[in-house]
Each structure stands twice: as structure tokens, then as C-alpha cells.
Amino acid sequence: MNAEIIRRLSPEEEELAKKRNELALLQTELAERELELANLRADLSAFEGLYLRNLGVLYAELDDWNARIAQLVAEEAGTVEARSAAAEARTRAEESYSAAHGEAARAIEFIPSAELKKLYRDVAKRVHPDLATDGADRAERERLMAEANRAYQQGDVDALRRILEEYESSPESVQGTGVAADLVRVIRQIKQLQKRLVQIELEITSLGASDIAKLKVKAEDVSNQGRNLLAEMAQDLRRRIDHERRRFESLSAKERTP
Amino acid sequence: MSNEDEKATGLVPSPSSALSRVGSTSLVQRGMQDLIARAEAEQWCEQGRIFQRQEQYVEAVECFRRGLQFDPNHEYLQFLIGSAYYQGNGVPELDYTQARFWLSKAAEQGHAASQAILGIMYEWSFGVQQDYAQALEWYRKAAEQGHAGAGYLLGCCYWEGRGVLQNHEQALAWFRKAAELGNASAQFNLGVMYGFGRGVPRDDAEAVSWYRKAAELGNASAQFNLGFMYHFGQGVPQDDAEAVSWYRKAAEQGHAGAANNLAVCYEKGLGVPQDHSQAAEWYRKAAEQGDEASNLP
């Protein structure tokens, strides 16, 4: 009898195949969720940039007038309290100024191309730090992933492709030999990815609960009624700035004519 | 790029890159707090207006005050509180000082109705030393924003040379602007200017058209003058019945001249069947309203 030899899988091997399958599915899902998170962050950053350019600068101006008024009041009163209030107001004005004119104010609207999204997904799927099997591997993956994030936000397709190539061509880290070792490794990876998925969920929730996200939702609601929320807020702030400016002017006129 | 920046854009650990910066976050927070405060103020304003419509003035003022706690710069709330003091509604007593305090705040922010009332307070010296120049400036600010009543009052200042050199052209321009915005007093004044050729060449048809607009808005003087134009066929075909109908409208509002003329129409049977008892009745009313029988324009 010439029976074909069929190599039957051992129970461990069967378990390993099952777990590898599970891991592959998780990798796909995780890549999708990472992309979603990256897009949410980019959207909020862009809206924050818009907000800071339109309203942040006005808050900074308002704080500047307040600081000037506090300064005049301090000069007039000459008390320790008035002086420290003036110094506080000045510090606040400077903080507002640097926040309104800083890095965050430069974020602009971000519309990723389909190709960019696909490449990012591929990178996230393969390079994700939570697939790491040891410390050195993790460090390398974190480096590549951070680069990928930057490339994605800048819409740099070539950079993403290079990252993917670099990863593919790097030597595989030494893995445990034997089915049992593989099984332990895969199970650990699965656990890490699951943990990360929960983290992403939490982060999306907390981003959604942030003031900038609430403001964005409100702006969109209002925009559906044909109104412009940021413009309305800016108008109100300009009015307050005018008010403070007039206060400053009348105070300084008083000082000139004792 | 520094190490820290790299971490900020890295996936793991993943602080939210957009929201970790303290300074910008606090600016966003302020925007959000301001929005919430304004929404609160808006709600108190709404609630106060509801009380006002139900003539529960004390409750209304309480709402306006609460609204102002949330948004001290809310010009409409400042106006509403100012008006409450100006009229003595919902406050312990009419108080021009308080009225001026609140209306000034709103007026300085550009609230047209507050500017107009402030102008009136200066012109008529309500709680403040009479100051025509100030009155004129506030009227002008409001009128330039399209406030019809202020346009009319500004026209009056120019017409009479109050707080400004007399200037009939300017008066005409402001009366016209206010009249076109639907201000009945300005429409009546335009009618008078055309009807009597004052500041403009006399034009009876133009006078009739302005009188009619004001009369239809219920201005008694305009109703009386329009009746007169029909009575004597000036700028309009002579029509006693029309004259009677406009005299009656004005007389019913207590216009003495109109009551007198209506009485004459009844006495002579002009536009109405002759009726001596009606004539007597309207003469009596005219006299009650302190009119002299021949007080025609």
C-alpha cells in the first residue's frame, strides 16, 4: 500500500495556526484603528490651528490690554498687591501670546490621499511596536512608527514607502524555536495588540471629550444653520477688546491730567 | 527634531499630540467657557423677555441681572436693564442715573436703541445736565446704524439747529432716511415740509403721499392733515367722504383740530349726512381737548 504520508498537526501546532490567524485579524483591525486615531488627531490639530489663528490671537490681544490696564492701576495705586496683579496679568498675556502664535497655530487642514492611507495601514500592520518580541525590537519599531506618523501628517508617500522597505529588509529578530516558543510569542503579541486596541478606544474617547473637539462639533452644528461660530466668537471678542482698549485710554487720559 | 517631539508624534506611548500643549489648551478652554457663559446669558435673556411679555417686570429684571452675571458684556441685557430703570418697570423706582449707567455701557458697544435713548436723556436732561452736542452725537451714532427713531430725532436737531448749526438739507435727508425706514413722525414731518414748502419746493402730491404713509401707521396729526388735503383738494382730488373718514380716525385718537373739523362736516353735511347732534358732540370733544375752533394748519 502506498499511502501518502500526511503529517498531522499536533495539538500545539493546531493551536499555533489558530492563534496566528487571530493575530493577523487583530493586526488588520489595529492598523485601521491607528489610522482612524491619526486622522482624528490631525483633524483636531487642524481645527485647533484655525481656532488659534482666529480666536487665540484675540484672547492674546485681550490679555494684553488687561495687562496694560493692570500696569496703569499699579502705577496709580503703588501697592504691592496691585504690582503683583500687574505682573501676573503680564505673565498671562505673554503665555496667551506664545500659545496663540506657537507651533499649534500652524496646523492646517489635512486631507490624506487613498494611497497615503493604504501605506500607513501597511506600516501600522507590520511595524506596530506592540508586535515587538523584545526591548531592542520594540525600540526599532517605535522609531519607525514615529517616523511613519510624521510622514503621514506631512502627506509624504515616499517616506512611508521607504519605512516599509526598511522594515522588510531588516533582519528578523531571533525568535524562539519550536512550536511551544512560537505559541508563547504569538499569544503575547495578541495580548499586546488587544491592550493597544483598548488604549486607542480610550484615547479616541478622551479626544472626543476634549474642549477642542466639543468646539468643533458645535461649530459644525452651527454651520448647518448657516452660521459661522468662530466668526461670531471673534466678533464678541473684538467687542470686549474694544471695551478694554477704551478703558485703558480713559485711564491713561486720567493719569495725564491729575 | 528633538526626542520629545518624536515621542509626541509616536504611536506608543501616545499622548494626544494636538492637546498636550498647556497654553493652547487653555486658550481653547476659554473659548469654550465663554461660549457656555454666553449661552447661559442668552437663556436668562429669553426667560426675562417671557416675564416681560407677561408684565412680570420684577422677575424679568432679576433674569436680566442673572444673565449679566454670565456675560457682563451682553449689550442687549444692558439695554434691557437700562430700559427697566428708564421706565421704572421691575425696579424699586424710576432711576435715570442707573438707566444712564446701563444704557451707556450698551451704547458704547454700539447698541443703537441704547444710543437713541441716551440721546433723548441728554436732549431732555433726564437725570443729566442738558447737553445738545452729546444728544446729537448719540442720535447720529444710532441713526447711522439705521435706527429710524434716532434718524427722526437727528433730523429735528438739524431742523431746529439744536446742538448743531441749523441745516434744512441735512434735516430733510435724515427725515427721508427715517421715513423710508417706516418712522411715522418723520413721514409726517416730510409731509409738512412738502405741503408748506418749508426747506423744499412746495409739492402737494408728495405731501399727500407722506401723510398717507404716516396716517396708515396711525399718526393722528398725519390723519388730520390728510383729511385736510382731501377736504380742500390739495394734491389729491377733492373728496369730502375721504376727508371725513381721516378726520374721524384722528379725532378718535383725541386730536382736537380733527374733532372740530369733523363737527363742521356734520354741521354742514359735508361728506356725511347733516347731523346737528353729532356736530354738537364733536364740538364738545374738540373743546374738551382744548382746541380753538379755527385751529387749522
Side-chain angles (χ1 to χ4, degrees), chain A residues 34 41 45 48 51-52 59 63 92 96 99-100 104 142 145 149-150 196 203 207 211-212 214-215 233 236 239-240 246, chain B residues 1 6 9-12 14-19 21 23-25 27-32 34-35 38 73 75 108-109:
Chain A
E34 291 287 7
R41 276 199 208 131
S45 289
E48 189 185 46
Y51 174 87
L52 291 174
Y59 276 112
D63 290 349
R92 179 182 165 113
S96 297
E142 279 180 359
M145 204 62 225
N149 271 315
R150 199 153 46 239
R196 175 62 190 154
E203 192 167 351
L207 280 176
D211 281 336
I212 192 71
K214 283 189 212 152
L215 209 56
M233 290 172 77
D236 186 66
R239 211 175 286 157
R240 284 163 64 186
R246 277 197 304 270
Chain B
M1 211 175 235
E6 223 162 291
T9 44
L11 274 179
V12 185
S14 52
S16 61
S17 58
L19 306 147
R21 285 172 291 252
S24 55
T25 306
L27 285 184
V28 171
Q29 232 168 43
R30 278 170 75 182
M32 202 62 197
D34 284 350
L35 260 189
R38 268 204 303 287
N73 296 304
E75 56 176 43
E108 268 166 21
Q109 293 196 72

Side-chain angles (χ1 to χ4, degrees), chain A residues 208-258:
Chain A
S210 66
D211 281 336
I212 192 71
K214 283 189 212 152
L215 209 56
K216 187 166 184 280
V217 167
K218 183 125 183 73
E220 283 157 1
D221 279 357
V222 162
S223 154
N224 289 335
Q225 304 161 21
R227 286 162 49 206
N228 183 340
L229 183 73
L230 293 191
E232 287 173 16
M233 290 172 77
Q235 198 190 3
D236 186 66
L237 268 176
R238 281 204 197 86
R239 211 175 286 157
R240 284 163 64 186
I241 290 169
D242 275 352
H243 187 255
E244 296 307 303
R245 185 178 43 71
R246 277 197 304 270
R247 237 182 89 202
F248 173 78
E249 280 162 3
S250 78
L251 276 174
S252 57
K254 239 184 251 162
E255 289 222 334
R256 276 197 301 274
T257 54

Side-chain angles (χ1 to χ4, degrees), chain A residues 70-91:
Chain A
Q71 181 63 32
L72 278 184
V73 170
E75 278 163 21
E76 173 108 7
T79 62
V80 178
E81 290 83 14
R83 276 204 210 99
S84 89
E88 230 170 77
R90 182 41 67 196
T91 306

Side-chain angles (χ1 to χ4, degrees), chain B:
Chain B
M1 211 175 235
S2 74
N3 235 356
E4 228 169 290
D5 284 341
E6 223 162 291
K7 270 216 169 130
T9 44
L11 274 179
V12 185
S14 52
S16 61
S17 58
L19 306 147
S20 55
R21 285 172 291 252
V22 175
S24 55
T25 306
S26 84
L27 285 184
V28 171
Q29 232 168 43
R30 278 170 75 182
M32 202 62 197
Q33 283 160 359
D34 284 350
L35 260 189
I36 292 167
R38 268 204 303 287
E40 281 281 346
E42 219 45 70
Q43 270 177 16
W44 284 112
C45 183
E46 259 317 298
Q47 185 57 49
R49 300 278 290 149
I50 291 169
F51 278 128
Q52 232 179 12
R53 279 194 287 276
Q54 295 163 352
E55 294 177 21
Q56 291 173 265
Y57 296 118
V58 174
E59 290 82 352
V61 168
E62 181 56 29
C63 288
F64 299 153
R65 274 188 211 290
R66 290 207 183 187
L68 273 175
Q69 283 167 3
F70 285 99
D71 183 2
N73 296 304
H74 199 291
E75 56 176 43
Y76 190 47
L77 284 173
Q78 292 167 343
F79 162 74
L80 288 166
I81 290 207
S83 318
Y85 279 112
Y86 184 75
Q87 295 166 312
N89 276 342
V91 290
E93 56 183 354
L94 189 147
D95 184 338
Y96 286 137
T97 307
Q98 281 288 327
R100 193 157 63 92
F101 173 79
W102 289 107
L103 291 170
S104 296
K105 278 176 182 270
E108 268 166 21
Q109 293 196 72
H111 189 258
S114 301
Q115 293 171 337
I117 301 179
L118 213 49
I120 292 171
M121 295 181 79
Y122 279 110
E123 182 174 353
W124 297 94
S125 105
F126 290 160
V128 63
Q129 186 130 34
Q130 197 165 46
D131 185 339
Y132 289 141
Q134 279 269 0
L136 188 92
E137 275 326 298
W138 286 117
Y139 289 153
R140 186 191 306 283
K141 283 195 171 122
E144 277 169 358
Q145 292 192 65
H147 192 280
Y152 162 71
L153 292 162
L154 184 59
C156 292
C157 289
Y158 275 113
W159 184 257
E160 288 160 29
R162 248 200 321 263
V164 67
L165 280 181
Q166 195 172 44
N167 184 333
H168 285 178
E169 264 171 48
Q170 280 286 317
L172 181 73
W174 284 111
F175 283 146
R176 188 179 296 281
K177 193 167 177 196
E180 277 160 5
L181 288 167
N183 182 282
S185 303
Q187 291 167 346
F188 171 72
N189 276 8
L190 271 184
V192 171
M193 287 169 81
Y194 282 108
F196 295 87
R198 284 157 70 175
V200 283
R202 182 172 160 169
D203 183 337
D204 286 343
E206 189 73 12
V208 165
S209 103
W210 288 114
Y211 286 150
R212 191 185 304 282
K213 285 196 170 85
E216 277 163 3
L217 288 173
N219 181 298
S221 302
Q223 290 167 344
F224 171 61
N225 281 19
L226 184 58
F228 183 85
M229 298 303 264
Y230 274 112
H231 199 150
F232 293 95
Q234 288 179 4
V236 74
Q238 203 279 338
D239 186 333
D240 283 336
E242 273 288 318
V244 165
S245 112
W246 288 111
Y247 285 150
R248 189 187 306 281
K249 285 195 171 81
E252 278 167 358
Q253 290 197 67
H255 191 285
N260 180 77
N261 287 14
L262 187 57
V264 172
C265 291
Y266 273 116
E267 189 178 11
K268 298 191 178 166
L270 297 171
V272 276
Q274 198 172 38
D275 183 334
H276 289 293
S277 77
Q278 278 284 336
E281 175 69 12
W282 283 109
Y283 275 129
R284 191 183 57 73
K285 282 190 180 157
E288 257 173 28
Q289 284 144 11
D291 181 58
E292 294 156 18
S294 59
N295 187 17
L296 297 180

